[in-house]
Amino acid sequence: MSTYARRLPNLLFDFGGVIINIDYNRTLEAMRALSRVGTTIEFTQAAQSALFDDLETGRITPDGFRAGLRQHYDLHHTTDAELDTAWNAMLLDIPLARLEYIRELGRQGYQTALLSNTNSIHIPVINEMLRREHGLQHGIADVLDRVFYSQEVGMRKPGKEIFEHVLQEMNWRAEETLFVEDSIQHIRTAEALGIRTLFLQPPLTLTEALPAALRAFSLPST
């Protein structure tokens, strides 16, 4: 007799690149256009400077972030609105099919949560997009059981502490959890903790790749 039973894994989703489409180059180009000397910011999917870490963990305010941008990247002539527009330029669309799929997974009995490196400038824009385009009055929380934002918990991926925090808060076991993510450095931390992963390397998308991953996922029987 098999020692494995078909049960439902816990589902932990990244936000950018998994649920919302992201183009980091749009922000890099927008910041370059604001620079008098044609330079851009040190922010990519793989790495970033401490200024962005501080914003994403809530250690600095949006005003402090804007001041840091002006000081470090020769953007002294810019307005707050110009900086925010450039910073938000990476945020693209949120396909309805992904939201509907996550909702359906919840109806099927899956426990779902979001783990996102994000900040207090992006979140209001994303929430307004979700309200305007998809009728979600409380942002992405309307389709998930729980939302964990780095800027609210004071930790960020790829640090192991934020993964451990989510597992503890959700009362989830690592081996019973599937983490869906598009950044390989975050995948590696999750795997080191025993969390199962689905690496959404472009052009893979959530609705294309997750069904097969769920069919292949087996949990130890209790």
Side-chain angles (χ1 to χ4, degrees):
M1 180 180 296
S2 172
T3 59
Y4 290 87
R6 290 295 298 170
R7 294 188 289 120
L8 300 180
N10 312 308
L11 300 179
L12 182 60
F13 298 97
D14 177 37
F15 207 167
V18 172
I19 298 174
I20 179 172
N21 288 321
I22 295 286
D23 186 347
Y24 295 94
N25 286 329
R26 287 170 60 99
T27 283
L28 298 180
E29 289 303 319
M31 290 292 183
R32 181 177 288 111
L34 293 176
S35 170
R36 289 177 174 174
V37 295
T39 59
T40 194
I41 60 175
E42 299 166 281
F43 182 87
T44 67
Q45 184 176 12
Q48 59 197 53
S49 74
L51 176 66
F52 305 96
D53 287 353
D54 287 346
L55 180 67
E56 289 187 341
T57 52
R59 290 194 290 266
I60 58 172
T61 65
D63 282 342
F65 175 66
R66 297 181 192 106
L69 288 175
R70 292 185 176 106
Q71 177 182 351
H72 294 297
Y73 300 106
D74 191 27
L75 298 169
H76 297 282
H77 62 292
T78 56
T79 66
D80 287 356
E82 288 173 330
L83 290 176
D84 286 358
T85 296
W87 180 234
N88 290 327
M90 70 180 75
L91 305 175
L92 304 181
D93 62 311
I94 305 173
L96 178 60
R98 297 177 190 172
L99 301 175
E100 291 179 335
Y101 181 42
I102 294 170
R103 266 196 174 129
E104 177 58 27
L105 290 169
R107 286 192 288 264
Q108 292 175 16
Y110 289 89
Q111 291 189 46
T112 60
L114 184 85
L115 175 56
S116 176
N117 287 351
T118 191
N119 59 85
S120 53
I121 298 176
H122 281 166
I123 288 301
V125 173
I126 295 171
N127 286 345
E128 173 57 22
M129 187 187 312
L130 287 165
R131 185 200 64 78
R132 184 180 65 250
E133 298 179 4
H134 301 303
L136 302 186
Q137 297 305 309
H138 305 96
I140 197 63
D142 281 356
V143 300
L144 293 154
D145 295 320
R146 192 80 182 269
V147 171
F148 297 91
Y149 290 141
S150 62
Q151 57 111 7
E152 293 178 355
V153 300
M155 299 172 280
R156 67 183 299 279
K157 300 175 287 184
K160 69 175 185 177
E161 295 82 7
I162 195 167
F163 289 96
E164 293 169 338
H165 174 76
V166 171
L167 293 175
Q168 181 176 13
E169 286 290 309
M170 296 300 296
N171 196 27
W172 288 354
R173 296 174 61 184
E175 66 271 19
E176 296 178 351
T177 301
L178 180 64
F179 176 47
V180 187
E181 168 69 67
D182 71 323
S183 294
I184 190 61
Q185 68 272 24
H186 303 160
I187 288 284
R188 288 171 178 152
T189 299
E191 290 178 341
L193 292 171
I195 299 170
R196 303 275 288 277
T197 63
L198 171 59
F199 180 34
L200 278 191
Q201 188 173 18
L204 287 178
T205 67
L206 178 68
T207 52
E208 293 169 344
L210 185 53
L214 292 177
R215 288 193 296 269
F217 199 111
S218 295
L219 291 170
S221 59
T222 55

